[in-house]
Amino acid sequence: MVDNMPPKSAVERSEHRDEIDDLLLDGRSPRFVSSYLKNEYNESISHTAINNYKKKHLDVTKEAVIDYTKKKSKEGKEVQSQKDREKKKEKVVKKISSDLEKLDEIIEDSFNTQVDLERLVSDPDCDQVKVEGLKLKMRQQGISAVNAKTNILKQEDTNVEINVEEVKVSLMERVKQKRRELNDLSNGRNQDVS
């Protein structure tokens, strides 16, 4: 007789499965658990295998949502009307669209600031190392914004919260601070020349 059951995963076969469950339920990451098993028991289970196991067997969020939904329906709460759901959906769509526009602004600001910094390179009194450092930081900020935008566009779950405004304000404050520092350096050198 042929068994049509899929083979058990490495985690399911592990003699430390209960400990793996406890670590995951305590909030430890699959990478941590994989490293822990290797260091503690010399057992090699990849973090990917542990993550897949967690999704399949320990999806506590999904179970909590099911439990919550059951409790709410038992309490006689009415299901949200279609019109309310549409309004909520429209609100989420507008927020994500706004976040994407803000990320576009950050990307554009990053590019424009790099162009401004390029102009400083031609100034012989300018500290080239600081300018290159600023250019690198701006490039990193632009890349971070591009990655955040890409992640939003790839998201299947639209409940992602990104506080883009805080990132943008923080970024712009740092740029302004660096510009002040460069101006101070430039003014100091000009006074030394006088």
Side-chain angles (χ1 to χ4, degrees), residues 5-181:
M5 295 291 291
K8 289 187 176 186
S9 69
V11 175
E12 290 173 283
R13 293 188 313 267
S14 172
E15 64 185 41
H16 305 104
R17 180 179 179 181
D18 290 341
E19 193 171 358
I20 294 169
D21 286 353
D22 288 340
L23 289 168
L24 291 171
L25 290 170
D26 285 342
R28 300 296 186 166
S29 72
R31 285 187 190 277
F32 173 88
V33 176
S34 177
S35 178
Y36 173 82
L37 292 171
K38 185 69 176 167
N39 293 334
E40 200 69 28
Y41 304 111
N42 199 27
E43 182 176 17
S44 293
I45 302 178
S46 72
H47 70 276
T48 304
I50 294 170
N51 192 45
N52 290 338
Y53 168 81
K54 179 182 176 185
K55 286 179 184 177
K56 186 174 180 180
H57 296 284
L58 296 175
D59 192 354
V60 293
T61 304
K62 181 179 177 181
E63 291 180 27
V65 168
I66 291 169
D67 185 54
Y68 172 80
T69 304
K70 285 180 183 177
K71 285 180 182 177
K72 287 296 179 184
S73 65
K74 285 179 183 175
E75 294 172 0
K77 299 287 181 183
E78 292 182 12
V79 177
Q80 195 176 26
S81 72
Q82 181 65 27
K83 189 174 182 180
D84 288 343
R85 283 193 298 277
E86 287 300 319
K87 283 182 182 179
K88 186 174 183 178
K89 180 181 174 185
E90 184 179 327
K91 184 177 177 182
V92 171
V93 167
K94 283 182 181 180
K95 172 151 180 15
I96 292 171
S97 177
S98 172
D99 288 350
L100 289 168
E101 288 171 1
K102 289 173 185 173
L103 286 167
D104 282 339
E105 289 175 25
I106 292 171
I107 293 165
E108 184 67 25
D109 288 346
S110 170
F111 175 77
N112 289 337
T113 303
Q114 286 186 53
V115 170
D116 290 344
L117 291 172
E118 288 291 339
R119 291 185 192 129
L120 288 174
V121 173
S122 62
D123 183 354
D125 294 328
C126 183
D127 185 341
Q128 301 299 321
V129 174
K130 286 188 178 183
V131 171
E132 289 303 318
L134 287 171
K135 284 171 34 182
L136 178 61
K137 285 180 183 177
M138 291 310 301
R139 212 172 282 127
Q140 290 169 335
Q141 291 296 326
I143 290 169
S144 294
V146 168
N147 287 337
K149 183 178 176 183
T150 301
N151 287 336
I152 289 174
L153 294 173
K154 287 183 180 177
Q155 276 299 330
E156 292 178 13
D157 180 6
T158 57
N159 292 328
V160 176
E161 297 260 344
I162 298 177
N163 195 338
V164 175
E165 197 58 40
E166 281 184 21
V167 172
K168 182 180 176 186
V169 168
S170 171
L171 172 63
M172 294 312 297
E173 286 302 316
R174 283 189 267 161
V175 168
K176 288 176 186 175
Q177 177 63 32
K178 292 299 178 184
R179 283 183 176 166
R180 283 192 291 270
E181 290 173 11

Side-chain angles (χ1 to χ4, degrees), residues 125 183-194:
D125 294 328
N183 284 336
D184 290 346
L185 280 171
S186 177
N187 290 338
R189 288 184 183 165
N190 289 340
Q191 290 175 358
D192 291 343
V193 173
S194 302

